[in-house]
Amino acid sequence: MIPRTSTRRLETTLLSYSRQRLPRPHRLYSTPSKKTNAPASAFAQVQVPRPSFPAYLYGDPVAGDTGGSGRGSSALSDMQGFLNCGTPYTILPSPLPDDRASSLNNFLFPDSPTQDQLAVMHACLHNLYDVPRAKQVFERLRRSPSVEHILEARVYNSFLEAYVEVATTKEPNDRSLWIEDAWQLYHVMENGEEKVRPTSQTYALMLLAWLRFNSASEKPVHLASALNPSKLLSNFLARGISPTTVITDRVISSSSEASQIIQLLSKSAVDMNLSRVVTELGQAEAIGCQLPDPLGNVPEVNPVTKLKTLPDVTSEDGTPVPEELAREVPFNLNNLRKHLAKVSLARRVLPEDVAARQKLLEESAYDVAVERLKHESEVFDELGLSSPSLRRAGLQRWMWDWYQKLSTHLETEIANIVATEAKQSKPCPEKQLAPFLALIKPEKLSLITILEVMRLHGSGGVNDGMKTARALLAVGRAVENEYKAEMCKRNNIAIPAHARAGGDHGYFSGLGYRDLHARRVTAAKYMEDSEEWTSEWTQVLRVRMGSVLVDSLMKVATVERVAVDKNTGQEVKEEQSAFCHSYEFVRGQKLGVIRLNPVVTERLAKDDLRETLHPRHLPMLVKPKPWLGPDEGGYFYNKSSVMRFKDSAEQQAYLEHATTLGNVELVYAGLDVLGSTPWKINRQVFDVVLEVWNSGERLCKIPPVVFDKPQPEKPENYHTDIKARSVYSQRLKAYQQDKANNHSDRCSVNYKIEIARAFLGDVFYLPHNLDFRGRAYPIPPHLNHIGDDLSRGLLMFAEAKPLGERGLRWLKIHLANLYGFDKGSFDERVAFVMDHLDDIYDSAERPLEEGRRWWTTAGDPWQCLSTCMELRAALESGDPEGYMSTLPIHQDGTCNGLQHYAALGGDREGAAQVNLAATDRPSDVYTYVANMVNQVVEDDAAKGDRVAQMLVGKISRKVVKQTVMTTVYGVTYIGARDQIERQLKDRGDIPEEECWATSSYLARKVLYCIGDLFAGAKAIQTWLNLCARLISKSIPGDRLEEAIQREQRKEGSSLNILSRIRKEQMAAVVWTTPLGLPIVQPYRKTKRKQIMTALQTVYISDPNSPAEVNGVKQASAFPPNFIHSLDATHMMLTALECRTRGIVFASVHDSYWTHACSIDQMSAIIRDTFIALHSSDILGKLEAEFKARYADYKVPLASLRVGTFLKKLKTAGVRIVASPEEAAAIKSIHTSTFDPLIDVSETATSSITSPSSCPSTSDSKLLTPSSDSNVDNTPKKRRTRRHASSKAPAVAEDEESEAEEEEESIDADTLLADKFISLPALIPPLPKKGDFQVETIKKSLYFFS
């Protein structure tokens, strides 16, 4: 046995060796493929000036960085240095308009037809479904220069594998044709004719081809192009590929074939005098013949052996060797693979054991669901309960019947589709479904369809149903995910282990960062090599797949409804469809919906829902797979994306390239930290929840089984009084909506309880991913700590830690916070708890019938109950400070968005309002605003205002909180009104019909009272908004010449130049977080594609066909998105630092959780990370990034003449430098709007440019409207606001002058179309920073509390 110290030394040596073969983190890392030949600009990485410390990607280790334990101040120093250095940018070109194309654009943003062809090609290759058809598509794509970068080496290898397998199993009589195709394709790769290089898998496949079809084999194929093992060995050694890597590739699935290939290569190596290769192959064979020995001190069991096949075995004296001595351990390929995986990844990347229960859970989810449904049906039959009257109400029974019918129906339906497509003389790959329907068996397709449709019930704001388009997409995507999961399971890939907490050098040092990068790249390469190539499906394909499956389900799924005839009193039975398709109007638009039969929705709120849950919706029983790439992490086999983004190919491209460049290692590490926190179910709280649920009563937001609010009574004067009829209609509508919401809420709670019940007694984990702004969310949607109060009350940490003196104090403070007493000082909160100790004991011991139910009056009742039980248990333990606590304790930010704004702008007043400054007791900006509003309302009520009188005494902190919070995010009056209306309805003391009027009144008053309360934040918000507006109006410099070309109408006439300019405005706002994550705002103009399905015509957005950006949305969303990216960064920094110090950590955005005993440590870390973040000149870096990222982008002068945009730019301090000639040219167009912005200079470099191909500004054709009758030079007139006046004649007199000004504006925009300004020159100067020092928060007790 190797000593443990030696083993550790060996691991370190092996890891060091594996890293020596890795590229530097700043280089592009990819498998040999066409991606390496992509245009260099696709992977551009701009470096900004920065200090040499810490050189986290490029330099050598920082002097004095010793790593190890006790890192405290050293780790913070590393973090500060990391944040102060320049973050590398991931820069990609903006997408081209849909009527333009380029090789780079096709590489970054493949169009849907190409994606469809790739998907069809892959589906035809799967299980050798239709290899000739796949070959046709492949040949067509290879001839297309626009898609050459998409066809990587793994695609070519897939065809080599298919050709060899077809020759071996499916068409052995035509094997010579298929093997010839394989060798031809190999030579194309080897010679580099199509810029694709062979990989280890390529050589493994060709060795298999030679082994099976050489002249001495059982099925010889004589080809001059075939290479023998010696030539193949020489070729892959020349490419630096290891022989063992070739032998252990997944395509060599037979141990006997692997052994034969080793012998062939060994013989070739001997002939070529390659001693190193002979040694390596000998070791590989020896390892493969060893049986694993996990227990070194246990006597060995003799392995199963077989007779050697060596002829004429004799001893030295010439006597025959006895047969029992000529035996050997059979070669086992799995032994060799397992060993080499451990060696190449140095045992620190792959664990020795993969949790069997989690694997089983993910591997056989649908099979288990089928078996359970079948089992329950059989139990009914065995017990003699086959009567429909006894079984009619069972949701599981219905689902089993649907499953049987749908499986049979799909077999017939798929056969019909296959026959129909086979008859097509000229099949279109983009419209073929048969290959995809063959990917998964009909039985599994049927269950996927049923589970997805049941899961979507009540989604998208549709009561008792779902949107048709959403259902079709979800079912299609579920089929795609299941197929890809099957591919992962089939290859038996080992699961990489998590990195050590902070590594040996912390996360932020140079060595620590490179360690993260090297581990991830190594593991990602291993996973990629182990998986088969798969292609993404397009939205259209998903819809078409979903249409076939959902339509089939609706045809066969039925339920039996029973009712009593009111006249005869007899029971009436009728078989009805379980689902129906209908339309409803939403905001004036016709919307297709799929509705569930009322009896099905009724059962959904009552029955066991375990069968409707897929493992990707459940917690994990082991630590999630570390994130290795954009779609590699989280669940073991079910594919998950590391980022949630909707219809944004641009965001996906940025994330993929940032991963390739090694820019997002800390983001992946942060997600791994969040996902590795162990949880368990709080059994005591669960018992109370289950008792309330089974009672069917309403309690603490658990909805009742029967809606308990009375239906409004119809007034007697309903038919005569219009007002009474209107009031009744509003109340009835609200009642029906509340009833529907009650049912939806009950279904949601049902899911939570079922999942909690399933995981009782288990330790589980919640894998996390990000939204596009970088905020982290648990992937399991139903039960997680970001959920509602019930979800949080059911969860606790799996790891227990002693409270300690400070922990006991924090437990009491936490209880006061949950109850709602969170604005007093800490001492007052502790006193509050001690004063209510009797209520706390009563709540913990008698939470329901016999108790006073004090906990139910809390703001967060279920969390309050959980804390009451924990505090009582600690106090009754005999040693409260030694009590082992598992309850998460929260530290919440105060209006966290405003905290970031105050720190960014150095705003002393804003900092005081949100507890950044040191105070004796917490500030509460929400209560401050509520008091101001109350005073205004009371004044209006005293004047007789009816609406104000209804609101007197009813404006609490809660009513105004959301509006105040979102003011700094740019909330509008409409948004504020909707927020306040929801709060007023929740209060229940204002009549339904008055909620709209009162919320409208109150929204105006709240926004008025806020006024200049957040003046410092407003200045930064304005700067961010202006930058976003400029970016959304910009055009890349290389697109200017095309931008000023007139667009041709179909009938032959030309459109105005401005229309083409607007089409070229494709630049989205992109920025990089301090952790290196590129964020792309996805807001573009709606562009939908019409898809005809069996159910209805569906309109879906095509993410592969980008449209022009939505400038208004880009600008309004940028300030809140930027602040959200900062609070996400702060959370990630805190999570990483807590992991480095061994502190358990969880978060809900700006609410950070840990054990009570760790609160003081975490509080210090929260403050340190916030200070480090805001000491790194965030806005200065953002300005520098914009100027670097958009250095070559130009803004059309005409696009600046929109509303008050020029005035805002002037106010912000923007100046346009122009030469005297350029200034005169602009003036000659008869516009003076630019005068306040223009600085005329003969020496300074002008900001104004024109495309080189444009005529000069003095060209009369540009300075005067065109007289060409085929040119439309009259763009739509701008709508101008006309203020009402009591003087009608004055308005009439001004009409002519207004028309002249409007016409002048139209002409000016047209004639300015060829004038552009450099975008960096237009970026306003940063707002002046105040004198607040962010280090002050170290003295603030209530910054996070």
Side-chain angles (χ1 to χ4, degrees), residues 649-913:
E650 192 175 6
Q651 176 67 78
Q652 184 173 358
Y654 266 93
L655 183 60
E656 289 174 353
H657 289 294
T659 302
T660 302
L661 294 168
N663 291 347
V664 288
E665 303 305 324
L666 293 180
V667 176
Y668 288 155
L671 289 175
D672 293 340
V673 169
L674 297 174
S676 61
T677 298
W679 300 88
K680 66 179 181 180
I681 299 297
N682 188 326
R683 179 59 186 266
Q684 290 180 290
V685 174
F686 175 80
D687 290 340
V688 178
V689 170
L690 189 61
E691 185 177 347
V692 173
W693 174 263
N694 289 336
S695 72
E697 298 178 359
R698 180 191 298 273
L699 183 69
C700 299
K701 295 188 178 180
I702 291 184
V705 65
V706 178
F707 190 53
D708 54 358
K709 292 184 179 179
Q711 183 172 340
E713 296 182 4
K714 182 183 288 188
E716 297 180 357
N717 58 346
Y718 175 81
H719 296 288
T720 58
D721 191 329
I722 296 178
K723 184 176 180 180
R725 185 189 310 168
S726 175
V727 169
Y728 170 74
S729 297
Q730 289 185 47
R731 292 181 178 179
L732 182 62
K733 183 178 179 181
Y735 168 81
Q736 292 171 339
Q737 184 63 49
D738 290 344
K739 186 176 181 181
N741 290 342
N742 181 81
H743 170 75
S744 178
D745 292 342
R746 187 146 180 100
C747 291
S748 176
V749 173
N750 196 355
Y751 275 117
K752 291 179 175 65
I753 294 176
E754 285 292 352
I755 294 171
R757 182 173 177 271
F759 284 85
L760 279 176
D762 283 323
V763 174
F764 56 88
Y765 301 84
L766 301 171
H768 283 61
N769 62 3
L770 308 165
D771 68 7
F772 78 93
R773 302 165 299 186
R775 285 189 138 192
Y777 295 83
I779 299 177
H782 301 293
L783 182 65
N784 59 61
H785 59 292
I786 289 187
D788 58 8
D789 172 56
L790 174 61
S791 298
R792 299 181 187 187
L794 286 168
L795 295 176
M796 59 199 312
F797 291 137
E799 182 181 352
K801 290 190 177 183
L803 279 175
E805 180 183 356
R806 293 289 298 173
L808 182 61
R809 174 179 169 85
W810 277 114
L811 182 61
K812 296 174 183 177
I813 294 171
H814 180 61
L815 178 54
N817 291 342
L818 293 172
Y819 190 81
F821 188 78
D822 56 348
K823 296 308 165 191
S825 66
F826 288 146
D827 290 338
E828 290 170 346
R829 297 181 212 182
V830 173
F832 171 85
V833 170
M834 299 309 294
D835 291 343
H836 290 85
L837 207 54
D838 184 52
D839 291 324
I840 293 168
Y841 268 68
D842 178 75
S843 297
E845 296 170 354
R846 295 176 295 277
L848 294 177
E849 286 80 6
E850 300 176 2
R852 297 190 293 272
R853 298 192 180 187
W854 175 79
W855 64 277
T856 63
T857 61
D860 296 305
W862 292 110
Q863 292 176 84
C864 179
L865 175 62
S866 175
T867 311
C868 288
M869 292 175 171
E870 189 82 352
L871 181 59
R872 176 195 170 276
L875 296 177
E876 292 296 313
S877 67
D879 180 15
E881 295 180 10
Y883 176 75
M884 301 299 287
S885 174
T886 56
L887 191 76
I889 307 299
H890 310 170
Q891 291 281 279
D892 299 346
T894 305
C895 194
N896 191 238
L898 188 55
Q899 287 181 325
H900 283 286
Y901 270 122
L904 286 172
D907 182 6
R908 184 177 294 277
E909 293 183 7
Q913 293 162 356

Side-chain angles (χ1 to χ4, degrees), residues 350-362:
L350 295 182
E352 295 187 0
D353 178 52
V354 177
R357 194 173 161 203
Q358 176 67 31
K359 184 177 180 182
L360 177 65
L361 180 67
E362 291 191 45

Side-chain angles (χ1 to χ4, degrees), residues 416-613:
N416 292 337
I417 291 174
V418 171
T420 302
E421 292 185 359
K423 294 177 182 178
Q424 296 175 353
S425 58
K426 294 183 179 180
C428 178
E430 295 86 351
K431 296 184 178 179
Q432 292 178 336
L433 277 181
F436 300 98
L437 291 168
L439 294 174
I440 298 177
K441 294 179 180 179
E443 293 80 7
K444 188 168 286 188
L445 284 175
S446 64
L447 194 65
I448 290 173
T449 307
I450 294 169
L451 295 185
E452 282 298 313
V453 171
M454 298 294 280
R455 180 182 68 84
L456 289 172
H457 161 254
S459 63
V462 179
N463 295 323
D464 300 333
M466 67 217 75
K467 297 176 182 178
T468 304
R470 184 171 186 173
L472 303 187
L473 274 171
V475 171
R477 186 178 285 108
V479 174
E480 179 188 12
N481 289 339
E482 178 61 21
Y483 161 64
K484 290 182 177 179
E486 285 186 355
M487 300 295 288
C488 292
K489 302 167 197 170
R490 179 162 93 173
N491 296 317
N492 197 28
I493 304 169
I495 306 301
H498 283 258
R500 297 174 187 170
D504 295 330
H505 301 279
Y507 288 105
F508 302 100
S509 67
L511 284 174
Y513 195 99
R514 291 203 303 277
D515 177 70
L516 281 176
H517 180 80
R519 289 176 52 84
R520 184 187 63 76
V521 168
T522 305
K525 181 67 166 60
Y526 168 76
M527 298 293 288
E528 180 181 298
D529 290 345
S530 303
E531 292 181 358
E532 295 181 37
W533 169 73
T534 57
S535 175
E536 289 294 319
W537 290 9
T538 62
Q539 295 284 68
V540 175
L541 175 56
R542 292 173 184 144
V543 167
R544 293 172 58 236
M545 277 288 289
S547 171
V548 172
L549 298 175
V550 173
D551 182 52
S552 298
L553 174 63
M554 294 178 67
K555 288 177 179 177
V556 302
T558 59
V559 293
E560 187 180 75
R561 293 193 67 179
V562 179
V564 177
D565 191 311
K566 293 182 180 179
N567 298 324
T568 63
Q570 295 181 346
E571 190 177 70
V572 180
K573 299 179 181 179
E574 181 179 77
E575 189 173 18
Q576 298 180 351
S577 296
F579 308 92
C580 66
H581 179 262
S582 63
Y583 292 93
E584 66 180 37
F585 285 90
V586 177
R587 295 177 181 175
Q589 293 187 340
K590 191 177 181 182
L591 180 68
V593 297
I594 296 174
R595 294 197 180 281
L596 278 64
N597 193 294
V599 295
V600 179
T601 60
E602 181 183 347
R603 298 314 309 175
L604 273 172
K606 298 178 181 178
D607 285 8
D608 185 342
L609 299 179
R610 280 172 289 178
E611 281 74 22
T612 67
L613 292 172

Side-chain angles (χ1 to χ4, degrees), residues 1027-1038:
C1027 288
R1029 290 186 69 178
L1030 289 168
I1031 292 169
S1032 65
K1033 295 178 183 298
S1034 65
I1035 300 172
D1038 59 359

